[in-house]
Amino acid sequence: MADRNQSVLIIDFGSQVTQLIARRVRECGVYCEIHPFNLAGQAFENMAPSAVIFSGGPASVIDQGSPRAPQAVFDSGVPILAICYGQQTLCTQLGGTVEGGHHREFGRADVEIKKASPLFDDFWQVGSAYPVWMSHGDRVTELPRGFEIVGHSPNAPFAIAVDEHRRYYTTMFHPEVVHTPDGARLLSNFVLKIAGLEADWTMAAYKDQAIAAIRKQVGDKRVICGLSGGVDSSVAALLIHEAVGDQLTCILVDHGLMRMNEAADVVAMFREHYNLSLVHVDACDMFIDALEGQSDPETKRKTIGRLFIEVFEEEAKKLGGADFLAQGTLYPDVIESVSFTGGPSVTIKSHHNVGGLPERMNMQLVEPLRELFKDEVRVLGKELGLPESFIGRHPFPGPGLAIRCPGGVSREKLDILRKADSIYLDEIRKAGLYDAIWQAFAVLLPVQTVGVMGDGRTYEFVCALRAVTSVDGMTADFYPYEMDFLGKTATRIINEVQGINRVVYDVTSKPPGTIEWE
């Protein structure tokens, strides 16, 4: 959706922090896309990017069949920045040597600069050492012809190796992570100075391009949009409405897994403030009956995804048919749902139809946000005129309370959880903390404990509270509440929600690519 000559292709070799490369590039005002190495050849042809970045990855280039970059990238003459595993495969493919069995290097290291390079010449000085973040076992032991060492660390003699003539730049460390303090500047130098791209990618430009792309895809056909009331689906709906107007019908599926009064609030907001065609479908019994007693989280997600499809099919028939189904798929959904290793990430977003729709639907997906991160969607929401109070809402997952109710699902447990969650969010707002927290929610644990309340013994559920800070939802850390707040909130929940006699606070962090709670 960006100018083909003003974009960067990031080839993903499986690193858990590849998406952070994209964050840094977009922070420079330059459009980029991530594509797995085995699809990168076609992506390179389609995008015709002005620069390419190779990510890190868990494989060893020494192993037979390990990932490689497309030869077309090297033949094209575009500048390349290769990181960690990317450095190793680049060197291997160009005639260098990589060996294992040397001292591994994980964590903080100091890189000493031996020679100046446009990659860092405005912030790193020759003869000085700077902190970086390493994560490697193998290492380059012989560089390809034309390369020279410009930086080294005690365990990475080729920590920074470059071929200035061909504009190939390689680092054994990860510049994309915050633990490399100057990493963002290094990536900026590569993208803006070495590759010569312009920092002109804005959300206003994206909006115009997205509207044009939607019109081209949809033509004069009808679109139905799954509207959950969350930021993602709401922004998608408004964007598509700007593009095709009355050809769009939004469908709010009330599946009984929403927060307190959520369905009614969403219907009221969109019918009163936006000129959208909105159908409210009460499907609570359909969903909860299908989920009753289900404890496996993946079964829950797939059941919910299947039922959504069935509802959309039925509603499309009532409308006389529809050619397109729109949804608020984001870039993290796409990244987490495509795994060249076949690993666990392929199931993370299984309630989304990221890979396509069932053939029987005879519909195509419209996903105008699939190239954006969460915070970028919020910016787009502002461009579309959504109020700040709505744009800043905490994310709410498609499977709703079903994945915040580990173990078997029942109407009783969902009602208990809904009440606890409502009290928790109410206390957060009263304390003025809502905007400081990226996401907060209650979880009803699948355990019951004995407690004494007044003069009686109880045997009731444990409620866990979670609150995290984040920018894009790909990584998160717990919010450091004051104990007074936790005590007050826990007391309210125990006093006001029959069925809960104990409250705990979750202080785990969320590393890249992990699910929120199951």
Side-chain angles (χ1 to χ4, degrees):
M1 202 170 290
D3 183 338
R4 286 163 58 88
N5 295 319
Q6 285 293 315
S7 63
V8 175
L9 168 63
I10 300 169
I11 298 180
D12 182 19
F13 291 103
S15 169
Q16 63 174 340
V17 292
T18 299
Q19 73 281 352
L20 295 181
I21 303 173
R23 296 268 341 126
R24 302 294 173 255
V25 172
R26 290 188 181 186
E27 286 166 1
C28 297
V30 173
Y31 180 77
C32 64
E33 292 183 17
I34 300 172
H35 291 273
F37 78 93
N38 54 334
L39 302 177
Q42 187 62 51
F44 183 76
E45 181 180 344
N46 294 340
M47 288 179 63
S50 293
V52 176
I53 299 176
F54 295 178
S55 84
S60 170
V61 296
I62 301 169
D63 295 340
Q64 187 173 3
S66 55
R68 293 291 185 267
Q71 183 60 39
V73 174
F74 298 108
D75 295 339
S76 69
V78 301
I80 298 171
L81 173 63
I83 298 168
C84 197
Y85 180 90
Q87 182 195 62
Q88 295 172 21
T89 192
L90 180 144
C91 289
T92 298
Q93 291 181 249
L94 295 180
T97 302
V98 174
E99 295 180 358
H102 296 275
H103 186 76
R104 298 183 302 171
E105 198 169 26
F106 295 96
R108 188 184 183 278
D110 291 314
V111 167
E112 182 179 346
I113 304 305
K114 297 182 61 177
K115 186 175 180 180
S117 168
L119 197 61
F120 49 73
D121 62 6
D122 50 353
F123 55 90
W124 283 352
Q125 305 301 316
V126 174
S128 297
Y130 301 92
V132 298
W133 192 259
M134 295 282 190
S135 181
H136 67 93
D138 302 340
R139 71 184 190 191
V140 176
T141 56
E142 181 181 351
L143 289 170
R145 181 178 53 82
F147 278 81
E148 60 181 338
I149 302 168
V150 297
H152 66 92
S153 74
N155 294 309
F158 303 140
I160 311 175
V162 304
D163 181 335
E164 300 284 6
H165 177 70
R166 287 186 285 184
R167 296 187 298 171
Y168 291 168
Y169 299 82
T170 73
T171 69
M172 180 65 354
F173 60 87
H174 287 267
E176 68 271 30
V177 302
V178 295
H179 301 87
T180 299
D182 294 317
R185 299 172 71 183
L186 185 149
L187 283 162
S188 176
N189 274 3
F190 173 73
V191 170
L192 301 179
K193 295 183 178 180
I194 293 170
L197 283 91
E198 297 179 10
D200 60 358
W201 188 72
T202 65
M203 198 50 65
Y206 183 90
K207 183 188 79 170
D208 293 341
Q209 293 166 354
I211 288 172
I214 292 166
R215 287 172 178 163
K216 181 178 179 181
Q217 180 185 6
V218 171
D220 60 356
K221 306 296 184 181
R222 179 178 290 278
V223 185
I224 59 173
C225 177
L227 181 65
S228 69
V231 175
D232 307 336
S233 64
S234 299
V235 170
L238 290 179
L239 186 64
I240 295 168
H241 187 256
E242 282 210 16
V244 298
D246 293 341
Q247 294 167 234
L248 171 69
T249 298
C250 293
I251 299 174
L252 172 64
V253 180
D254 186 352
H255 47 30
L257 307 170
M258 302 178 82
R259 291 172 289 201
M260 186 75 75
N261 301 320
E262 181 123 39
D265 291 344
V266 171
V267 170
M269 184 183 76
F270 276 89
R271 284 183 175 166
E272 292 175 10
H273 299 287
Y274 299 99
N275 188 27
L276 291 176
S277 174
L278 174 60
V279 177
H280 178 200
V281 181
D282 184 351
C284 295
D285 290 341
M286 177 184 183
F287 277 79
I288 297 177
D289 286 348
L291 291 168
E292 192 88 36
Q294 290 284 358
S295 59
D296 178 66
E298 188 58 19
T299 300
K300 290 181 188 178
R301 286 173 171 265
K302 289 184 176 178
T303 298
I304 291 167
R306 173 178 58 80
L307 293 178
F308 267 122
I309 291 295
E310 291 179 9
V311 172
F312 290 142
E313 281 184 301
E314 183 63 28
E315 293 303 315
K317 290 178 183 177
K318 293 178 182 178
L319 294 168
D323 298 279
F324 296 91
L325 172 64
Q327 58 185 25
T329 305
L330 303 190
Y331 206 27
D333 301 332
V334 178
I335 294 170
E336 292 179 348
S337 298
V338 178
S339 172
F340 67 80
T341 64
S345 66
V346 298
T347 64
I348 290 174
K349 300 293 180 180
S350 52
H351 63 283
H352 281 263
N353 305 298
V354 179
L357 296 170
E359 289 186 11
R360 71 172 192 275
M361 288 194 73
N362 196 29
M363 298 171 69
Q364 298 180 46
L365 280 173
V366 179
E367 299 172 307
L369 310 182
R370 67 181 284 124
E371 297 166 348
L372 302 181
F373 289 92
K374 187 76 176 188
D375 55 315
E376 294 171 330
V377 172
R378 297 190 195 279
V379 177
L380 179 57
K382 293 179 183 179
E383 289 285 339
L384 293 165
L386 278 170
E388 288 283 351
S389 59
F390 185 83
I391 291 170
R393 293 182 72 198
H394 292 180
F396 190 65
L401 298 181
I403 61 168
R404 295 178 181 174
C405 191
V409 175
S410 69
R411 285 172 171 79
E412 177 191 12
K413 290 170 68 175
L414 290 171
D415 286 341
I416 292 171
L417 176 56
R418 208 177 335 262
K419 292 172 185 175
D421 189 69
S422 178
I423 291 170
Y424 180 33
L425 293 178
D426 182 55
E427 287 298 321
I428 289 173
R429 290 189 175 94
K430 286 179 178 177
L433 299 175
Y434 191 85
D435 292 337
I437 296 169
W438 188 80
Q439 185 184 48
F441 55 87
V443 178
L444 195 68
L445 299 183
V447 293
Q448 291 176 280
T449 63
V450 174
V452 177
M453 299 178 71
D455 295 323
R457 290 165 65 86
T458 64
Y459 185 61
E460 296 178 329
F461 289 105
V462 177
C463 176
L465 305 180
R466 180 149 168 78
V468 296
T469 57
S470 183
V471 173
D472 49 30
M474 295 304 298
T475 58
D477 203 358
F478 70 90
Y479 185 81
Y481 284 129
E482 297 289 339
M483 288 305 297
D484 286 347
F485 171 85
L486 289 174
K488 181 180 179 181
T489 302
T491 299
R492 268 199 70 188
I493 290 173
I494 291 170
N495 286 344
E496 298 179 30
V497 183
Q498 186 172 355
I500 294 175
N501 67 3
R502 196 176 303 265
V503 176
V504 298
Y505 184 54
D506 173 16
V507 294
T508 56
S509 298
K510 177 180 182 286
T514 60
I515 53 183
E516 56 168 27
W517 188 299
E518 282 181 340

